[in-house]
Amino acid sequence: MSNQEDLQNRARKAAVDFANSQSVGDFVSVIDEGENVSTFLFESKLKGYVGWHFSVSIFSDGEDTSVSEVNLMPGENALLAPNWVPWSERLADYKALQAELEAQAAAEAAEAAEAEVEDETSIEQEVSDEDSGEDLTSTALVDESVDAEDNADDTGKKPPRFLRRRLGRLKYKKDKS
């Protein structure tokens, strides 16, 4: 066995001690850090750490070897959390968005009001152009109000039990007076 293989086995043992044997995958690569330091990378099989590597740095001066550090490091294809943004900046962005949405809603309301005024004027113009002499708007309003009165009491649902009792009492009191 060569010295490099011994160092790789020692690095794997350190990674397994750090995590466990099911979490440490295959050997990926070795990085020569210089000055007798090598970093061995092993695949991570931890859930949620796809694309990450166990990184084991070993110092070896020929006779004596020692494990310097063991880390879990992101690889090139690792999923990383987004950069942290201070609360004050997030709040400022939120307030700016709310102001923009309010301005947009106000503009839409103004456009809707303009369209409604234009519709009313065009309807009034059409009514005045007719020579029949009848006031169609008042008859339409009367018909709608009669239908509304007929349907006002019939909602299709019974009120809750406690409310039926109270309504019954109120109805009884109205009948007496």
Side-chain angles (χ1 to χ4, degrees), residues 10-19 24 39-40 42 53-58 67-73:
R10 177 93 190 256
R12 174 175 290 286
K13 184 179 181 314
V16 167
D17 290 344
F18 178 74
V24 180
T39 300
F40 294 86
F42 300 94
H53 304 291
F54 284 101
S55 169
V56 181
S57 297
I58 293 183
V67 176
S68 178
E69 62 184 10
V70 180
N71 294 316
L72 186 61
M73 302 293 291

Side-chain angles (χ1 to χ4, degrees), residues 54-67:
F54 284 101
S55 169
V56 181
S57 297
I58 293 183
F59 172 78
S60 174
D61 63 357
E63 294 178 13
D64 196 21
T65 60
S66 61
V67 176

Side-chain angles (χ1 to χ4, degrees):
M1 226 186 237
S2 70
N3 189 27
Q4 190 71 11
E5 288 178 10
D6 289 339
L7 291 176
Q8 182 178 338
N9 290 337
R10 177 93 190 256
R12 174 175 290 286
K13 184 179 181 314
V16 167
D17 290 344
F18 178 74
N20 61 41
S21 60
Q22 289 84 21
S23 299
V24 180
D26 296 332
F27 172 74
V28 176
S29 66
V30 63
I31 302 169
D32 184 21
E33 304 285 350
E35 298 184 22
N36 300 327
V37 177
S38 298
T39 300
F40 294 86
L41 300 175
F42 300 94
E43 287 180 341
S44 170
K45 292 185 177 180
L46 292 171
K47 290 183 181 178
Y49 289 91
V50 175
W52 289 61
H53 304 291
F54 284 101
S55 169
V56 181
S57 297
I58 293 183
F59 172 78
S60 174
D61 63 357
E63 294 178 13
D64 196 21
T65 60
S66 61
V67 176
S68 178
E69 62 184 10
V70 180
N71 294 316
L72 186 61
M73 302 293 291
E76 291 178 16
N77 298 327
L79 294 175
L80 299 174
N83 290 333
W84 182 76
V85 179
W87 171 247
S88 59
E89 291 179 25
R90 289 185 282 161
L91 183 61
D93 290 345
Y94 173 78
K95 286 182 178 179
L97 176 65
Q98 292 302 314
E100 183 179 325
L101 290 174
E102 288 175 4
Q104 184 180 6
E108 289 174 0
E111 288 177 10
E114 279 183 25
E116 187 175 317
V117 168
E118 289 176 4
D119 288 344
E120 287 177 5
T121 56
S122 65
I123 290 172
E124 289 175 4
Q125 184 69 26
E126 289 175 8
V127 170
S128 65
D129 288 345
E130 293 180 2
D131 294 329
S132 65
E134 294 180 22
D135 189 11
L136 298 177
T137 56
S138 64
T139 57
L141 291 176
V142 169
D143 291 342
E144 288 177 10
S145 65
V146 170
D147 289 340
E149 285 178 11
D150 292 341
N151 294 331
D153 293 332
D154 185 27
T155 60
K157 290 186 179 179
K158 288 185 176 180
R161 189 175 190 181
F162 73 92
L163 192 55
R164 280 187 272 163
R165 287 184 194 150
R166 286 188 181 178
L167 290 173
R169 288 182 196 146
L170 290 174
K171 204 177 219 184
Y172 180 71
K173 286 182 183 177
K174 284 183 183 177
D175 291 341
K176 280 189 168 183
S177 48

